[in-house]
Amino acid sequence: MTTSTQRGATIIGWGTALPDLIVTNADFEARLDTTDEWISERTGIHERRHGGTTAGLAVEAGRNALNMAGLTGDDIDFILLATTTPDYQIPSTASQVQEELGINGGACDVNAACSGFVYGLVQAHGLIAMGLKRILLIGSETLARLTDQDDRNTAILFGNGAGAVVLEAVEGEGQLVSFDLGSDGTARKLLDAPIGGYMNMVGKEVFRKAVTVMVDSAKISMASANLTTDDIALVVPHQANIRIIETACSKLGMPMDRVAMVLHRTGNTSSASIPLALVDALENGRVQRDDNVLLVGFGAGMSWASAVIRWTGHLPEGNK
Ligand code: COA
């Protein structure tokens, strides 16, 4: 889809949160039948964070984003919280975050698994096009809770964390140039977690499908924006496995020096992974004004989501 709206949005603040507890590959090596070498080579992950709650991490990331934008909860019309690990069945995790940040507006969760942040980003633009002024969008997860820590197939992959952005309405075109959201429900059994149970995953098949949907979705978003790989200054992929990212980028002809990466220190944080990688890139001066940034994710469902953003929003001092 190419976006068509008289009222777009730009990102005016961002924030992240990671719990303090670092779990290294050596920690797994000490108690599971695995090695640091196996995990590093097959996944690119060296450490991930455990602990915290989904709401607690979301509040911290959301507060950091509000502070950066010079706003308080009062200035926000709506909070969208992407998560696949809510703290409660009822109510939404967004409700607790809303109370703690003092936001007087709508609040709801979005569950599109690891594609959730990009789904939420597009939904936020839709709400802004309909008249809302400012939205707090957060991806927050406590996946360590949903993962059997005695299962070497899954425990090593996932971690906890949160990332948030504040979106503000602008007259005319905003940052979002194009997007592609999709899902294939027939593949939902490849990665699932029953209520009260742990995550099950058919790793190899998820890997194969992930590469296909990332490449296809990225191509759709770039084509809708009339762009090619050469026009993309930075790709921010879902941080699941370095080999998935490398394979997809090689098929797209995208050099790895144009790819945002935090996976080595966060593991897979599902809907928090794209905002964590985006914020890391922004703060390290990897985005300049008017750069085309491609976000692309995939996850359980099997869902996928991509978007091209032309960066007209806030930038840290120094990179203009
Ligand atoms: N340490 C050591 N060995 C392990 C292991 C671990 N942590 N986890 C699995 N193995 C073993 C397997 O049991 C298997 O042993 P076998 O050959 O004796 O049966 C062997 O390593 C190879 O397993 P395989 O599944 O073929 O490895 P792989 O190269 O496909 O890597 C994943 C496994 C999970 C890392 C990889 O498939 C993957 O990343 N898939 C995508 C998962 C994902 O991204 N999920 C989230 C989506 S949002």
Side-chain angles (χ1 to χ4, degrees):
M1 282 285 298
T2 311
T3 57
S4 69
T5 174
Q6 298 303 305
R7 189 178 155 89
T10 58
I11 291 172
I12 58 165
W14 57 78
T16 61
L18 291 171
D20 293 335
L21 180 61
I22 297 174
V23 178
T24 64
N25 292 348
D27 292 330
F28 283 116
E29 193 172 306
R31 59 178 194 79
L32 293 179
D33 182 13
T34 189
T35 60
D36 173 34
E37 194 189 1
W38 192 97
I39 301 170
S40 304
E41 276 178 10
R42 301 283 183 122
T43 72
I45 300 166
H46 297 284
E47 58 185 48
R48 69 292 288 148
R49 302 294 179 101
H50 283 189
T53 63
T54 298
L57 293 167
V59 166
E60 190 181 334
R63 187 172 283 130
N64 290 339
L66 289 176
N67 286 343
M68 177 177 166
L71 301 173
T72 67
D74 255 353
D75 302 310
I76 300 293
D77 301 326
F78 203 100
I79 171 168
L80 267 174
L81 193 145
T83 188
T84 199
T85 48
D87 294 325
Y88 287 84
Q89 190 83 35
I90 301 171
S92 71
T93 306
S95 307
Q96 186 180 335
V97 179
Q98 171 179 48
E99 185 200 358
E100 293 196 33
L101 293 178
I103 294 171
N104 300 308
C108 70
D109 289 359
V110 177
N111 180 352
C114 308
S115 312
F117 184 83
V118 180
Y119 265 69
L121 185 76
V122 175
Q123 290 171 10
H125 278 80
L127 289 167
I128 284 176
M130 299 308 292
L132 295 193
K133 191 163 180 205
R134 290 193 201 95
I135 295 185
L136 179 61
L137 169 65
I138 307 175
S140 184
E141 302 281 2
T142 45
L143 284 152
R145 228 169 11 98
L146 203 64
T147 315
D148 179 355
Q149 293 301 315
D150 293 327
D151 175 8
R152 69 176 184 173
N153 291 296
T154 52
I156 56 150
L157 296 173
F158 297 97
N160 300 351
V165 295
V166 178
L167 291 140
E168 185 172 70
V170 291
E171 287 312 315
E173 274 181 19
Q175 280 188 315
L176 185 64
V177 183
S178 63
F179 65 88
D180 172 55
L181 304 180
S183 180
D184 173 11
T186 65
R188 71 188 187 284
K189 293 284 174 198
L190 294 181
L191 205 177
D192 65 7
I195 288 175
Y198 287 130
M199 188 190 300
N200 309 297
M201 185 181 73
V202 188
K204 259 199 188 326
E205 191 62 12
V206 171
F207 190 115
R208 209 178 55 75
K209 278 201 181 305
V211 171
T212 305
V213 299
M214 269 178 90
V215 170
D216 290 351
S217 188
K219 282 184 178 168
I220 290 170
S221 279
M222 287 191 292
S224 306
N226 275 323
L227 300 175
T228 67
T229 303
D230 290 344
D231 303 313
I232 302 294
L234 185 75
V235 184
V236 186
H238 170 46
Q239 311 279 302
N241 182 321
I242 184 90
R243 290 188 299 133
I244 293 177
I245 296 171
E246 283 171 352
T247 311
C249 285
S250 143
K251 286 180 188 283
L252 289 167
M254 180 68 67
M256 287 301 288
D257 62 1
R258 279 194 264 146
V259 179
M261 200 75 74
V262 290
L263 161 90
H264 50 287
R265 61 182 175 87
T266 61
N268 181 343
T269 56
S270 191
S271 61
S273 96
I274 286 183
L276 282 169
L278 175 64
V279 169
D280 183 79
L282 283 163
E283 293 188 345
N284 284 297
R286 298 186 66 192
V287 180
Q288 310 297 320
R289 185 152 309 284
D290 293 328
D291 273 357
N292 295 308
V293 178
L294 171 67
L295 313 182
V296 56
F298 62 89
M302 188 160 194
S303 63
W304 58 88
S306 62
V308 172
I309 289 178
R310 185 156 302 134
W311 202 272
T312 52
H314 187 85
L315 282 170
E317 287 304 313
N319 47 327
K320 296 288 172 207

